[in-house]
Amino acid sequence: MVNLIDRIKENILNPIMGIMLTVALVVFLMGIYRLFIAKDNEALGSQGLKNVTWGLVGFAIIVSAYGILSFVCVTVTACS
């Protein structure tokens, strides 16, 4: 059972979290880019600010989920 949980974490959950972290990074960088090019365009600037905000929220959620997953895995089982 322990080996199964460890394999699920390593082979399924960690790659999914990596992909989600990459998406959050792209959204964040897209928002930074939009903020830089939005000199007088207020609509583009506000969209860039929303992208930065949601990118940071995504980072926080993914890092928290990874921490909770690791805590539960180590506490309940003997995952590495």
Side-chain angles (χ1 to χ4, degrees), residues 23-50:
V23 169
L25 178 66
V26 168
V27 169
F28 177 77
L29 291 176
M30 188 171 53
I32 294 292
Y33 175 73
R34 284 184 177 174
L35 280 173
F36 279 135
I37 65 168
K39 295 178 183 172
D40 292 329
N41 190 345
E42 190 173 321
L44 190 60
S46 70
Q47 183 63 38
L49 188 59
K50 286 180 185 177

Side-chain angles (χ1 to χ4, degrees), residues 5-6 9-10 13-14 17 61-80:
I5 293 172
D6 195 29
K9 178 185 171 222
E10 293 297 322
L13 296 177
N14 283 348
M17 287 182 160
I61 290 172
I62 294 164
V63 169
S64 298
Y66 183 77
I68 292 169
L69 175 68
S70 296
F71 176 75
V72 168
C73 189
V74 169
T75 302
V76 174
T77 65
C79 295
S80 55

Side-chain angles (χ1 to χ4, degrees), residues 31 39 41 52-53 56:
K39 295 178 183 172
N41 190 345
V52 169
T53 303
L56 290 175

